[in-house]
Amino acid sequence: MASHRRPKQPSRTRVTVLTTAAAAAVALSSQAANAAPSEKPSKDEVKAKVDKLYEEAEQATEKYNGAKEKQEKLQKEVSTIQDNVARGQEDLNALRDGLGSMASAQYRSGGIDPSLQLFLSADPDDYLDKASTLDQLSGQQVEALKKIQEKQRELSQQRSDASEKLKDLSATRTELGNKKKQVQGKLSEAQKLLNTLTAQERAALKKEEAQRATRAGERAGLGGAQSKIGTPYVYGATGPSSFDCSGLTSWAYSQAGVGIPRTSEAQTGAGTRISSMGDLQVGDLVFFFNDLHHVGLYAGNGQVLHAPRTGTVVRYESMSTIGGPFMFGVRV
């Protein structure tokens, strides 16, 4: 039998909630429809953000360079220590063989001295500490034992040094990987921003860069560095087909037979510091930004020859347009 009950009416509270929710939805829809679309950043805004990312990438690059230089140094040190340990082990084996020959001679002449027999199966450090034992050995045997003791201690220290260097090397490799990721991350972020520009805007930026590269005053002689004008900036590069900022300066000095450190921070100690821009001479190293992460070669007339950053090439530029303050110069 069909039910004739009337449908249950929604409560007043539920009606109020539904009505309020519907009204809110309509309001939000209206706001969304009327809201202005987010404005695309202008070419100049993109350029400013990209330049900042490139600066941060260069900071990370100099730290990457420092970690790389440390890694190479540690690898050489570890290799040298390991070679020394291998040679030392050969020497130790020869000393032990010589002591064994003494024991054989004693055996043939009437038996092995008990003290010498004990040594052949024991640690000479413990053995030599026993004065009574020394009294039972010949002068030749005592000398041989002391040489073995000294060699064992030397090898133990070298193995300990190698172990510490290997730990440091492992930490440095980790740091190197992290710095590389930082650089690549900044460059990738910058590229994404550049990709938001139209082809015409990107072309305009390139034109501006080209004009900036050619705006310079007197060109002073800087030897081999001038031959690299137009060479691309690549982080971690030391030439001859690409450079980063400190890679260019270290390469330029190496062409003159002068060795200077690899990183911009280390290059600050490569000579006499020049505080005043007016006292600079052509060829002096010039440093920029508070953390000294950028370096170039002074070219005279307020100009610098440098490798600016990713996306640019080795070029002359006014020191006033570097993007960071001039800190000081160094005369190597």
Side-chain angles (χ1 to χ4, degrees), residues 202-213:
R202 287 196 295 271
L205 280 181
K206 286 185 178 180
K207 184 177 180 180
E208 289 174 12
E209 284 290 345
Q211 291 173 342
R212 188 176 180 183

Side-chain angles (χ1 to χ4, degrees), residues 75-280:
Q75 284 175 329
K76 290 179 181 178
E77 290 176 351
V78 168
S79 179
T80 298
I81 293 174
Q82 289 175 333
D83 288 345
N84 290 339
V85 168
R87 285 194 295 270
Q89 188 63 52
E90 291 176 358
D91 293 343
L92 180 60
N93 293 340
L95 289 171
R96 283 174 169 164
D97 289 344
L99 198 59
S101 298
M102 290 183 199
S104 297
Q106 284 190 5
Y107 180 78
R108 288 193 297 271
S109 63
I112 301 178
D113 186 307
S115 60
L116 186 57
Q117 187 175 24
L118 173 64
F119 166 75
L120 292 175
S121 61
D123 182 346
D125 275 349
D126 293 336
Y127 185 65
L128 283 175
D129 287 339
K130 300 175 182 177
S132 58
T133 301
L134 290 176
D135 293 338
Q136 301 175 44
L137 299 176
S138 69
Q140 186 180 11
Q141 291 168 342
V142 169
E143 189 63 27
L145 284 169
K146 285 184 176 179
K147 285 182 179 179
I148 289 175
Q149 182 189 47
E150 183 180 344
K151 181 58 67 175
Q152 284 184 319
R153 286 174 176 169
E154 180 184 331
L155 285 175
S156 176
Q157 182 60 51
Q158 288 178 334
R159 289 190 176 104
S160 176
D161 291 345
S163 177
E164 290 302 312
K165 295 285 185 186
L166 285 169
K167 289 179 183 177
D168 200 2
L169 180 58
S170 177
T172 301
R173 282 175 174 159
T174 299
E175 180 187 2
L176 190 63
N178 290 338
K179 296 303 178 188
K180 186 175 182 179
K181 287 179 182 177
Q182 285 182 23
V183 175
Q184 291 174 330
K186 298 293 183 184
L187 297 182
S188 177
E189 191 175 348
Q191 188 58 55
K192 287 178 181 177
L193 279 171
L194 290 172
N195 289 342
T196 65
L197 299 177
T198 65
Q200 291 81 2
E201 288 173 327
R202 287 196 295 271
L205 280 181
K206 286 185 178 180
K207 184 177 180 180
E208 289 174 12
E209 284 290 345
Q211 291 173 342
R212 188 176 180 183
T214 57
R215 284 196 303 264
E218 177 185 346
R219 298 297 186 246
L222 290 170
Q226 284 184 311
S227 67
K228 295 303 176 182
I229 292 174
T231 303
Y233 178 105
V234 174
Y235 82 89
T238 57
S241 57
S242 59
F243 298 93
D244 60 23
C245 70
S246 56
L248 175 66
T249 51
S250 59
W251 179 89
Y253 270 94
S254 71
Q255 301 311 293
V258 179
I260 62 174
R262 168 65 180 90
T263 66
S264 61
E265 184 177 0
Q267 288 177 10
T268 61
T272 303
R273 186 166 294 193
I274 311 296
S275 300
S276 172
M277 191 181 299
D279 294 331
L280 292 173

Side-chain angles (χ1 to χ4, degrees), residues 38-77:
S38 58
E39 293 184 1
K40 176 176 174 278
S42 69
K43 173 175 68 68
D44 290 340
E45 289 173 334
V46 168
K47 183 181 184 302
K49 291 178 181 178
V50 167
D51 286 347
K52 179 62 176 175
L53 286 168
Y54 281 154
E55 180 188 334
E56 292 171 354
E58 189 179 35
Q59 289 175 312
T61 292
E62 285 304 300
K63 294 184 183 302
Y64 167 87
N65 291 337
K68 187 176 181 181
E69 187 176 40
K70 183 179 179 181
Q71 175 186 250
E72 291 169 353
K73 181 182 177 182
L74 284 170
Q75 284 175 329
K76 290 179 181 178
E77 290 176 351

